[in-house]
Amino acid sequence: MSSPLDVVNAAHNAFRHDIAAIDAAALGAAQGKPGLEATVERFHLFNEVLTWHASGEEAGIFPALEPVAPSVVTAYEIDHRGLDLAFDGLSKAVSAHDPLGTARATAAFKFHLDLHLFKEETHLFPIFEERLSRDDQGHAVGALGSAVPPDRFPDFVTWLFPLVDDDDREKVVRFFHMVVPPGPFEGIIRTVKSAIGDDFAELARRIPELTTT
């Protein structure tokens, strides 16, 4: 059965995959390889999606947990502020046209983010699933998703799906199918198909109803 956290966990996997590639590109640029500008552009989109994600957690996940796990979310809110500071450090390095500083700042950001995601998945999310009803979980994740501006949702889908594997793609689409009305869902599927190209065939094999969408 699809879980409300499927979309959140898929986003976590996409963040890991993207920041690893960005970090590798930044290191290469510091070693004299071209491509720093493209790396920085990519990081801006990455951070925009991460900001939506963090804002959504603070609007949906954290308030839902506070009554059943008082004070637990404080550490995760502090992590979010730390990520804000890490991005500020990266922006300063980029503005100074400092490839080495950019690589160092990107590596620091990756370390902080990886640790934060691991903590959420091994500590916060089990509490979320154990102490909240499925309906409350769904409402909390829905509030998280509402942090993505409606006109930017296709950008989120286009960012997410190429970065995750077939299992995550299936889980996310099945969750969307449960919560999104038919018309908007069809629009999402068209965006997914455009984003992953030939890989859509495997998704359609796993979810046969997509062939009629």
Side-chain angles (χ1 to χ4, degrees):
M1 179 181 293
S2 295
S3 164
L5 283 178
D6 285 344
V7 177
V8 184
N9 285 318
H12 280 198
N13 289 333
F15 286 132
R16 289 191 184 94
H17 191 239
D18 211 13
I19 194 61
I22 291 167
D23 183 46
L27 177 61
Q31 294 170 335
K33 298 177 184 177
L36 180 59
E37 294 79 7
T39 298
V40 171
E41 264 321 294
R42 182 172 174 178
F43 187 84
H44 279 300
L45 175 60
F46 169 91
N47 190 67
E48 192 171 22
V49 177
L50 183 62
T51 298
W52 296 335
H53 182 82
S55 297
E57 286 185 336
E58 291 171 13
I61 302 291
F62 294 176
L65 278 171
E66 187 60 30
V68 298
S71 301
V72 167
V73 300
T74 300
Y76 298 92
E77 291 172 337
I78 292 170
D79 278 358
H80 286 178
R81 303 293 78 78
L83 287 167
D84 292 340
L85 291 172
F87 179 73
D88 289 343
L90 176 59
S91 295
K92 290 177 182 177
V94 171
S95 297
H97 303 285
D98 179 0
L100 180 59
T102 298
R104 292 182 65 187
T106 305
F109 192 103
K110 179 180 182 300
F111 175 83
H112 187 91
L113 178 62
D114 284 344
L115 185 59
H116 172 67
L117 298 179
F118 179 76
K119 285 165 53 183
E120 285 193 337
E121 291 166 359
T122 59
H123 176 241
L124 194 70
F125 291 172
I127 295 174
F128 181 85
E129 291 192 302
E130 290 166 6
R131 302 191 188 182
L132 294 177
S133 69
R134 182 55 66 95
D135 283 346
D136 286 343
Q137 291 176 35
H139 289 312
V141 173
L144 186 160
S146 68
V148 180
D151 64 323
R152 299 297 306 281
F153 197 78
D155 294 330
F156 168 72
V157 171
T158 299
W159 171 82
L160 174 70
F161 274 80
L163 291 168
V164 296
D165 63 17
D166 290 324
D167 290 339
D168 274 343
R169 290 170 180 169
E170 179 183 0
K171 290 175 183 176
V172 171
V173 168
R174 288 192 181 280
F175 181 73
F176 285 163
H177 197 217
M178 288 171 50
V179 302
V180 177
F185 177 74
E186 291 172 7
I188 289 173
I189 295 306
R190 286 193 293 271
T191 303
V192 170
K193 190 171 184 178
S194 176
I196 62 176
D198 292 343
D199 288 347
F200 187 80
E202 172 60 18
L203 190 58
R205 186 191 70 78
R206 291 169 175 241
I207 311 176
E209 53 265 42
L210 292 183
T211 59
T212 60
T213 297

